[in-house]
Every structure is written in structure tokens, then in C-alpha cells.
Amino acid sequence: MAISTALWSFAVVAGLMTLTPGLDTALILRTAALGQRRRAWGVVLGIQTGTLVWGAFASLGITALLTASHVAYTTLRWVGAAYLLWMGLRMLWTSWRRVPGALAAEEEPEPDRLRDGWRRGAFTNLLNPKVGALYMALLPQFIPADVPHFAFGMALASIHVAFGIVWSAVLVTFAHALRSWLSKPSARKVMDRITGGVIAAFGLRLAFGE
């Protein structure tokens, strides 16, 4: 496979993966909709940091050890599932116990800090072994035999990261434009229930899926 063909082919695949709604989309939209732009961009950067790490692991063949080791894969899968379930159920619990109209009086908003968002995004990505397995299966197919394996693998991962940042900018802008409506207590309850349900569902799928 020629280098240009590999790059363009991977760019098409990465673009489709980026546009497919999933856990990352739910996290970014929910955070940005609360008016927390720094925290939302922290989530974006954390997710893309995880993508680069998985890309580096796949380029070095480290993720092959993860997929080959049943114990390692299962352990990471259960840790990731527990984290997602905790995050999703916490949102659901908060939304159900929240009294409409009393949000400002009873609850302090989450700090709008970049590092907090980065931590959440990075943990969500890195604790999902299916992302590593996907990269392990995908990246080698687009790396020509006569190029430096690690450098080219990181170049491909960087393409995915670039697409992710651009698409995330669209999501953050869209959610921020609707913040006046989404910041209402009733709208936030609905948003937290939807987002919490999506995250918890991903956790259950990770725990009990194949």
C-alpha cells in the first residue's frame, strides 16, 4: 500500500468513526451545555490524549498483549465498566433527587476547570479496552511495510485526533449556543438523565458485552 493511499484511506475511516455518536459525544455535549467551556475542552483534550496513547500502544504492539491476555483484558474491562456505571448512575441519581427550581440554592455547580475535564475524558477513553482492541485491529492495516512503524502509526492516530478536535469544536459551539435553555433546572434534569443513561448503558455493554 502506498503512503498516500494509506493516509487517505485511514482518513476516511477515522472521519466516519469521529462522526458516529457515542460516549464521547454525550460527555462533550453535556459538559458544554452547562456553560463549562473550559471543562468541556478539557474533556475533549483528555479523550484525544487517550486516543494518542492507544495509538502509541498499537504502533508498538503493546495492545496485542492486552487482547492476547484474557486476565489483563477482563480486568481493564471491569474497571472501565465500573467507572462508567459510577459516572452514569451518579448523574441519574442527582437528576432524580434534584428539586426543580432549587438547583441554584441547593447545589454548587461543578468547577469549570480544564484539568477536571481532561481527567474525565482521559479516564473514559483509557479505561475502555475495546478502544485499544479497535486500534490494534485497525492501525496495522494502514501502515505500509516499508515505513517506520511507530512514526507512521502515530501520524495516523494524529489524523484521528485532528478530526476529533474539529468535530468537538462543532459540538461545543452548538451546545454553548443553547446554554440559556439547557441551563434551566428542568432541561438539566432531562439532559442528565439522557447522558447518565447513555453512559450507564455503555458501562453495562462493556461489562457484559462480547
Side-chain angles (χ1 to χ4, degrees):
M1 181 185 296
I3 293 178
S4 58
T5 302
L7 290 172
W8 280 109
S9 299
F10 182 80
V12 172
V13 174
L16 293 174
M17 289 193 299
T18 300
L19 294 175
T20 302
L23 176 60
D24 296 349
T25 303
L27 276 178
I28 294 168
L29 283 175
R30 189 260 180 184
T31 308
L34 298 179
Q36 300 175 322
R37 297 196 70 166
R38 286 192 295 272
R39 192 182 182 99
W41 275 108
V43 171
V44 172
L45 295 177
I47 290 169
Q48 302 312 325
T49 299
T51 299
L52 285 176
V53 171
W54 282 122
F57 285 174
S59 300
L60 293 170
I62 295 176
T63 46
L65 300 176
L66 174 64
T67 54
S69 172
H70 178 73
V71 174
Y73 184 87
T74 301
T75 300
L76 184 58
R77 181 164 62 90
W78 279 105
V79 171
Y83 175 73
L84 293 179
L85 283 171
W86 171 81
M87 184 164 51
L89 293 176
R90 182 170 178 266
M91 288 182 187
L92 290 172
W93 168 253
T94 301
S95 71
W96 282 109
R97 72 180 178 84
R98 184 181 292 127
V99 179
L103 174 63
E106 294 184 4
E107 295 186 7
E108 291 293 331
E110 295 177 320
D112 187 15
R113 293 191 296 238
L114 187 76
R115 67 174 182 271
D116 292 338
W118 181 90
R119 188 183 304 115
R120 172 167 289 184
F123 281 178
T124 301
N125 191 294
L126 290 173
L127 290 177
N128 189 348
K130 291 189 175 182
V131 177
L134 174 64
Y135 254 68
M136 188 60 215
L138 191 65
L139 242 62
Q141 299 182 41
F142 295 93
I143 300 179
D146 56 346
V147 300
H149 201 275
F150 179 77
F152 199 84
M154 292 305 295
L156 295 178
S158 297
I159 292 175
H160 193 188
V161 167
F163 284 170
I165 290 176
V166 171
W167 179 237
S168 296
V170 175
L171 295 176
V172 171
T173 302
F174 171 75
H176 190 69
L178 299 177
R179 70 188 183 282
S180 59
W181 177 74
L182 292 172
S183 61
K184 295 179 180 179
S186 58
R188 179 172 175 178
K189 285 177 64 176
V190 173
M191 180 174 56
D192 279 358
R193 288 174 187 175
I194 293 174
T195 306
V198 169
I199 294 173
F202 270 97
L204 290 172
R205 182 180 177 185
L206 183 59
F208 300 107
E210 295 296 332

